[in-house]
Amino acid sequence: MEELDIIKRVFLLAVAKREEGESMNETLQTLVNTGMFDMKEGKQVLKELRDAQYIVDNNLSMTGVMEADKAEKEFKQ
């Protein structure tokens, strides 16, 4: 499995940390508001994460959870 770039790892971490009831669109908008990317780029990243099965049915897959946990540990260092 290839190493995910920083933007995808941050995206997965944001999905993992989102509030109960927060939609994927709200999470995406939050990331856009940080200036990480514009909406078009954000939708492309989301599509790539879905295509790679990191996000399934607007939730993280087991692989997505593992990558988000790995990212969180890396960012805390």
Short mmCIF file of all heavy atoms in Angstrom, two decimals, residues 4-49:
data_model
loop_
_atom_site.label_atom_id
_atom_site.label_comp_id
_atom_site.label_asym_id
_atom_site.label_seq_id
_atom_site.Cartn_x
_atom_site.Cartn_y
_atom_site.Cartn_z
N LEU A 4 0.25 7.65 2.01
CA LEU A 4 -0.66 8.74 1.69
C LEU A 4 0.04 10.08 1.89
O LEU A 4 0.84 10.24 2.81
CB LEU A 4 -1.89 8.70 2.61
CG LEU A 4 -2.83 7.53 2.42
CD1 LEU A 4 -3.95 7.58 3.45
CD2 LEU A 4 -3.41 7.52 1.03
N ASP A 5 -0.32 11.06 1.05
CA ASP A 5 0.26 12.38 1.23
C ASP A 5 -0.38 13.08 2.42
O ASP A 5 -1.39 12.63 2.96
CB ASP A 5 0.17 13.21 -0.05
CG ASP A 5 -1.25 13.56 -0.47
OD1 ASP A 5 -2.11 13.79 0.40
OD2 ASP A 5 -1.51 13.63 -1.68
N ILE A 6 0.22 14.16 2.84
CA ILE A 6 -0.19 14.87 4.05
C ILE A 6 -1.64 15.34 3.97
O ILE A 6 -2.38 15.25 4.95
CB ILE A 6 0.78 16.04 4.36
CG1 ILE A 6 0.46 16.67 5.72
CG2 ILE A 6 0.72 17.10 3.29
CD1 ILE A 6 1.05 15.93 6.85
N ILE A 7 -2.08 15.80 2.83
CA ILE A 7 -3.45 16.30 2.71
C ILE A 7 -4.46 15.17 2.93
O ILE A 7 -5.45 15.34 3.64
CB ILE A 7 -3.65 16.98 1.33
CG1 ILE A 7 -2.85 18.29 1.30
CG2 ILE A 7 -5.13 17.22 1.05
CD1 ILE A 7 -2.87 19.00 -0.02
N LYS A 8 -4.19 14.02 2.38
CA LYS A 8 -5.10 12.90 2.56
C LYS A 8 -5.10 12.41 4.00
O LYS A 8 -6.15 12.06 4.54
CB LYS A 8 -4.74 11.76 1.61
CG LYS A 8 -5.07 12.10 0.16
CD LYS A 8 -4.66 11.00 -0.78
CE LYS A 8 -4.99 11.42 -2.21
NZ LYS A 8 -4.42 10.49 -3.18
N ARG A 9 -3.94 12.42 4.62
CA ARG A 9 -3.88 12.00 6.03
C ARG A 9 -4.62 12.97 6.93
O ARG A 9 -5.33 12.55 7.85
CB ARG A 9 -2.43 11.83 6.47
CG ARG A 9 -1.79 10.62 5.78
CD ARG A 9 -0.41 10.35 6.24
NE ARG A 9 0.44 11.44 5.76
CZ ARG A 9 1.61 11.77 6.28
NH1 ARG A 9 2.09 11.10 7.29
NH2 ARG A 9 2.30 12.75 5.77
N VAL A 10 -4.48 14.28 6.67
CA VAL A 10 -5.22 15.28 7.45
C VAL A 10 -6.71 15.11 7.22
O VAL A 10 -7.51 15.20 8.16
CB VAL A 10 -4.76 16.71 7.09
CG1 VAL A 10 -5.69 17.75 7.69
CG2 VAL A 10 -3.33 16.94 7.55
N PHE A 11 -7.12 14.84 6.00
CA PHE A 11 -8.53 14.64 5.69
C PHE A 11 -9.08 13.45 6.47
O PHE A 11 -10.15 13.54 7.10
CB PHE A 11 -8.71 14.42 4.17
CG PHE A 11 -10.09 14.67 3.67
CD1 PHE A 11 -10.33 15.68 2.76
CD2 PHE A 11 -11.17 13.91 4.08
CE1 PHE A 11 -11.60 15.94 2.28
CE2 PHE A 11 -12.44 14.14 3.62
CZ PHE A 11 -12.66 15.15 2.71
N LEU A 12 -8.36 12.33 6.46
CA LEU A 12 -8.80 11.15 7.21
C LEU A 12 -8.88 11.43 8.70
O LEU A 12 -9.83 11.01 9.37
CB LEU A 12 -7.86 9.97 6.95
CG LEU A 12 -7.91 9.36 5.55
CD1 LEU A 12 -6.81 8.32 5.40
CD2 LEU A 12 -9.27 8.77 5.26
N LEU A 13 -7.93 12.18 9.22
CA LEU A 13 -7.95 12.52 10.63
C LEU A 13 -9.15 13.41 10.95
O LEU A 13 -9.81 13.24 11.97
CB LEU A 13 -6.64 13.21 11.02
CG LEU A 13 -6.44 13.50 12.50
CD1 LEU A 13 -6.59 12.25 13.34
CD2 LEU A 13 -5.07 14.14 12.72
N ALA A 14 -9.47 14.35 10.07
CA ALA A 14 -10.63 15.21 10.27
C ALA A 14 -11.92 14.39 10.28
O ALA A 14 -12.82 14.65 11.09
CB ALA A 14 -10.70 16.28 9.19
N VAL A 15 -12.01 13.40 9.41
CA VAL A 15 -13.19 12.54 9.39
C VAL A 15 -13.27 11.74 10.69
O VAL A 15 -14.34 11.61 11.30
CB VAL A 15 -13.17 11.59 8.17
CG1 VAL A 15 -14.30 10.57 8.25
CG2 VAL A 15 -13.28 12.40 6.88
N ALA A 16 -12.13 11.26 11.16
CA ALA A 16 -12.10 10.49 12.40
C ALA A 16 -12.51 11.33 13.61
O ALA A 16 -13.14 10.83 14.54
CB ALA A 16 -10.72 9.90 12.62
N LYS A 17 -12.18 12.62 13.59
CA LYS A 17 -12.41 13.50 14.74
C LYS A 17 -13.70 14.31 14.65
O LYS A 17 -13.98 15.10 15.53
CB LYS A 17 -11.22 14.47 14.90
CG LYS A 17 -9.91 13.79 15.20
CD LYS A 17 -9.97 13.14 16.55
CE LYS A 17 -8.64 12.52 16.91
NZ LYS A 17 -8.67 11.92 18.24
N ARG A 18 -14.47 14.10 13.59
CA ARG A 18 -15.66 14.94 13.43
C ARG A 18 -16.69 14.66 14.52
O ARG A 18 -16.73 13.58 15.11
CB ARG A 18 -16.26 14.78 12.04
CG ARG A 18 -16.84 13.45 11.73
CD ARG A 18 -17.30 13.40 10.30
NE ARG A 18 -17.71 12.03 10.00
CZ ARG A 18 -18.27 11.67 8.90
NH1 ARG A 18 -18.50 12.54 7.95
NH2 ARG A 18 -18.62 10.42 8.70
N GLU A 19 -17.51 15.67 14.77
CA GLU A 19 -18.53 15.58 15.80
C GLU A 19 -19.64 14.62 15.38
O GLU A 19 -19.90 14.44 14.19
CB GLU A 19 -19.16 16.97 16.04
CG GLU A 19 -18.18 18.03 16.51
CD GLU A 19 -17.69 17.79 17.92
OE1 GLU A 19 -18.49 17.31 18.76
OE2 GLU A 19 -16.50 18.06 18.18
N GLU A 20 -20.30 14.03 16.35
CA GLU A 20 -21.43 13.16 16.07
C GLU A 20 -22.48 13.93 15.28
O GLU A 20 -22.83 15.06 15.63
CB GLU A 20 -22.03 12.65 17.38
CG GLU A 20 -23.29 11.87 17.19
CD GLU A 20 -23.22 10.50 17.80
OE1 GLU A 20 -22.26 10.20 18.52
OE2 GLU A 20 -24.14 9.73 17.55
N GLY A 21 -22.95 13.35 14.22
CA GLY A 21 -23.96 13.98 13.39
C GLY A 21 -23.42 14.93 12.34
O GLY A 21 -24.17 15.44 11.52
N GLU A 22 -22.12 15.19 12.35
CA GLU A 22 -21.52 16.08 11.36
C GLU A 22 -21.45 15.34 10.02
O GLU A 22 -20.97 14.21 9.94
CB GLU A 22 -20.12 16.48 11.81
CG GLU A 22 -19.44 17.47 10.89
CD GLU A 22 -18.07 17.91 11.41
OE1 GLU A 22 -17.87 17.93 12.64
OE2 GLU A 22 -17.23 18.22 10.57
N SER A 23 -21.93 15.99 8.98
CA SER A 23 -21.94 15.35 7.66
C SER A 23 -20.56 15.45 7.01
O SER A 23 -19.71 16.23 7.42
CB SER A 23 -22.97 16.03 6.76
OG SER A 23 -22.52 17.32 6.39
N MET A 24 -20.38 14.66 5.96
CA MET A 24 -19.13 14.70 5.22
C MET A 24 -18.94 16.08 4.58
O MET A 24 -17.83 16.60 4.53
CB MET A 24 -19.11 13.60 4.15
CG MET A 24 -17.78 13.46 3.46
SD MET A 24 -16.41 13.01 4.55
CE MET A 24 -16.84 11.33 4.96
N ASN A 25 -20.05 16.67 4.11
CA ASN A 25 -19.96 18.01 3.52
C ASN A 25 -19.53 19.05 4.54
O ASN A 25 -18.76 19.96 4.21
CB ASN A 25 -21.29 18.42 2.88
CG ASN A 25 -21.53 17.72 1.56
OD1 ASN A 25 -20.59 17.29 0.89
ND2 ASN A 25 -22.78 17.60 1.18
N GLU A 26 -19.99 18.93 5.77
CA GLU A 26 -19.56 19.86 6.82
C GLU A 26 -18.08 19.68 7.13
O GLU A 26 -17.36 20.67 7.32
CB GLU A 26 -20.40 19.65 8.09
CG GLU A 26 -21.84 20.10 7.94
CD GLU A 26 -22.72 19.68 9.09
OE1 GLU A 26 -22.58 18.54 9.58
OE2 GLU A 26 -23.56 20.50 9.50
N THR A 27 -17.63 18.45 7.17
CA THR A 27 -16.21 18.18 7.39
C THR A 27 -15.38 18.76 6.25
O THR A 27 -14.35 19.41 6.48
CB THR A 27 -15.96 16.67 7.52
OG1 THR A 27 -16.76 16.15 8.58
CG2 THR A 27 -14.49 16.37 7.79
N LEU A 28 -15.83 18.54 5.03
CA LEU A 28 -15.15 19.07 3.86
C LEU A 28 -15.09 20.60 3.92
O LEU A 28 -14.03 21.20 3.70
CB LEU A 28 -15.85 18.60 2.58
CG LEU A 28 -15.30 19.11 1.26
CD1 LEU A 28 -13.84 18.73 1.08
CD2 LEU A 28 -16.13 18.55 0.11
N GLN A 29 -16.21 21.23 4.26
CA GLN A 29 -16.25 22.70 4.34
C GLN A 29 -15.31 23.22 5.43
O GLN A 29 -14.64 24.23 5.24
CB GLN A 29 -17.68 23.17 4.62
CG GLN A 29 -17.83 24.67 4.57
CD GLN A 29 -17.49 25.26 3.21
OE1 GLN A 29 -18.02 24.83 2.19
NE2 GLN A 29 -16.60 26.23 3.18
N THR A 30 -15.22 22.51 6.54
CA THR A 30 -14.30 22.90 7.61
C THR A 30 -12.86 22.90 7.11
O THR A 30 -12.09 23.83 7.38
CB THR A 30 -14.45 21.95 8.82
OG1 THR A 30 -15.79 22.04 9.31
CG2 THR A 30 -13.47 22.30 9.93
N LEU A 31 -12.49 21.87 6.37
CA LEU A 31 -11.13 21.79 5.82
C LEU A 31 -10.89 22.87 4.78
O LEU A 31 -9.81 23.46 4.73
CB LEU A 31 -10.88 20.40 5.23
CG LEU A 31 -10.82 19.27 6.25
CD1 LEU A 31 -10.81 17.92 5.56
CD2 LEU A 31 -9.63 19.42 7.17
N VAL A 32 -11.89 23.17 3.96
CA VAL A 32 -11.78 24.26 2.99
C VAL A 32 -11.57 25.59 3.72
O VAL A 32 -10.72 26.41 3.33
CB VAL A 32 -13.02 24.32 2.07
CG1 VAL A 32 -13.04 25.61 1.26
CG2 VAL A 32 -13.06 23.11 1.15
N ASN A 33 -12.30 25.78 4.81
CA ASN A 33 -12.19 27.02 5.58
C ASN A 33 -10.82 27.22 6.22
O ASN A 33 -10.42 28.34 6.50
CB ASN A 33 -13.27 27.08 6.66
CG ASN A 33 -14.66 27.27 6.09
OD1 ASN A 33 -14.83 27.66 4.94
ND2 ASN A 33 -15.66 26.97 6.89
N THR A 34 -10.07 26.13 6.43
CA THR A 34 -8.72 26.26 6.98
C THR A 34 -7.73 26.74 5.93
O THR A 34 -6.62 27.12 6.26
CB THR A 34 -8.20 24.92 7.53
OG1 THR A 34 -7.99 24.01 6.45
CG2 THR A 34 -9.11 24.33 8.57
N GLY A 35 -8.14 26.67 4.65
CA GLY A 35 -7.24 27.07 3.58
C GLY A 35 -6.38 25.93 3.08
O GLY A 35 -5.46 26.13 2.28
N MET A 36 -6.68 24.73 3.53
CA MET A 36 -5.89 23.57 3.12
C MET A 36 -6.03 23.33 1.61
O MET A 36 -5.06 22.95 0.95
CB MET A 36 -6.34 22.32 3.89
CG MET A 36 -5.45 21.14 3.69
SD MET A 36 -5.68 19.88 4.94
CE MET A 36 -6.96 18.90 4.20
N PHE A 37 -7.22 23.56 1.09
CA PHE A 37 -7.49 23.45 -0.34
C PHE A 37 -8.80 24.15 -0.62
O PHE A 37 -9.51 24.54 0.30
CB PHE A 37 -7.55 22.00 -0.81
CG PHE A 37 -8.29 21.04 0.11
CD1 PHE A 37 -9.63 21.22 0.44
CD2 PHE A 37 -7.65 19.94 0.64
CE1 PHE A 37 -10.31 20.35 1.26
CE2 PHE A 37 -8.32 19.05 1.47
CZ PHE A 37 -9.64 19.26 1.77
N ASP A 38 -9.11 24.33 -1.92
CA ASP A 38 -10.41 24.90 -2.26
C ASP A 38 -11.42 23.75 -2.39
O ASP A 38 -11.05 22.57 -2.31
CB ASP A 38 -10.35 25.78 -3.52
CG ASP A 38 -9.98 25.03 -4.78
OD1 ASP A 38 -10.25 23.81 -4.89
OD2 ASP A 38 -9.41 25.67 -5.69
N MET A 39 -12.69 24.09 -2.57
CA MET A 39 -13.74 23.07 -2.58
C MET A 39 -13.53 22.05 -3.69
O MET A 39 -13.71 20.85 -3.47
CB MET A 39 -15.11 23.75 -2.72
CG MET A 39 -16.27 22.77 -2.64
SD MET A 39 -16.38 21.82 -1.09
CE MET A 39 -17.06 23.04 0.02
N LYS A 40 -13.12 22.50 -4.86
CA LYS A 40 -12.90 21.57 -5.98
C LYS A 40 -11.81 20.56 -5.64
O LYS A 40 -11.97 19.36 -5.86
CB LYS A 40 -12.53 22.35 -7.24
CG LYS A 40 -12.37 21.49 -8.46
CD LYS A 40 -12.05 22.30 -9.69
CE LYS A 40 -11.84 21.41 -10.90
NZ LYS A 40 -11.46 22.16 -12.09
N GLU A 41 -10.70 21.05 -5.10
CA GLU A 41 -9.61 20.15 -4.70
C GLU A 41 -10.06 19.20 -3.59
O GLU A 41 -9.71 18.02 -3.59
CB GLU A 41 -8.39 20.95 -4.23
CG GLU A 41 -7.70 21.73 -5.33
CD GLU A 41 -6.68 22.70 -4.77
OE1 GLU A 41 -6.96 23.37 -3.76
OE2 GLU A 41 -5.60 22.79 -5.38
N GLY A 42 -10.82 19.74 -2.64
CA GLY A 42 -11.31 18.93 -1.53
C GLY A 42 -12.20 17.80 -2.00
O GLY A 42 -12.10 16.66 -1.52
N LYS A 43 -13.07 18.09 -2.94
CA LYS A 43 -13.95 17.05 -3.48
C LYS A 43 -13.14 15.99 -4.21
O LYS A 43 -13.48 14.79 -4.16
CB LYS A 43 -15.00 17.66 -4.41
CG LYS A 43 -16.07 18.41 -3.64
CD LYS A 43 -17.13 18.97 -4.57
CE LYS A 43 -18.20 19.68 -3.76
NZ LYS A 43 -19.27 20.20 -4.62
N GLN A 44 -12.07 16.41 -4.88
CA GLN A 44 -11.20 15.45 -5.56
C GLN A 44 -10.49 14.54 -4.56
O GLN A 44 -10.40 13.33 -4.76
CB GLN A 44 -10.18 16.17 -6.45
CG GLN A 44 -9.25 15.25 -7.20
CD GLN A 44 -9.97 14.30 -8.15
OE1 GLN A 44 -10.95 14.68 -8.79
NE2 GLN A 44 -9.49 13.08 -8.24
N VAL A 45 -10.00 15.12 -3.47
CA VAL A 45 -9.34 14.33 -2.43
C VAL A 45 -10.34 13.33 -1.84
O VAL A 45 -10.03 12.15 -1.66
CB VAL A 45 -8.74 15.23 -1.32
CG1 VAL A 45 -8.27 14.41 -0.13
CG2 VAL A 45 -7.59 16.06 -1.88
N LEU A 46 -11.55 13.79 -1.55
CA LEU A 46 -12.58 12.91 -1.02
C LEU A 46 -12.88 11.78 -1.99
O LEU A 46 -12.98 10.61 -1.59
CB LEU A 46 -13.86 13.72 -0.72
CG LEU A 46 -15.06 12.93 -0.21
CD1 LEU A 46 -14.72 12.16 1.06
CD2 LEU A 46 -16.23 13.88 0.04
N LYS A 47 -12.98 12.08 -3.26
CA LYS A 47 -13.23 11.05 -4.28
C LYS A 47 -12.10 10.03 -4.29
O LYS A 47 -12.35 8.81 -4.33
CB LYS A 47 -13.38 11.68 -5.65
CG LYS A 47 -13.65 10.68 -6.76
CD LYS A 47 -13.67 11.34 -8.12
CE LYS A 47 -13.92 10.39 -9.26
NZ LYS A 47 -13.39 9.07 -9.20
N GLU A 48 -10.86 10.49 -4.23
CA GLU A 48 -9.72 9.58 -4.24
C GLU A 48 -9.72 8.69 -3.00
O GLU A 48 -9.42 7.49 -3.09
CB GLU A 48 -8.42 10.38 -4.32
CG GLU A 48 -8.21 11.04 -5.67
CD GLU A 48 -7.02 11.98 -5.71
OE1 GLU A 48 -6.19 11.97 -4.77
OE2 GLU A 48 -6.92 12.74 -6.70
N LEU A 49 -10.06 9.25 -1.85
CA LEU A 49 -10.12 8.46 -0.62
C LEU A 49 -11.24 7.43 -0.68
O LEU A 49 -11.09 6.31 -0.19
CB LEU A 49 -10.28 9.37 0.60
CG LEU A 49 -9.05 10.21 0.94
CD1 LEU A 49 -9.39 11.23 2.02
CD2 LEU A 49 -7.88 9.33 1.37
#
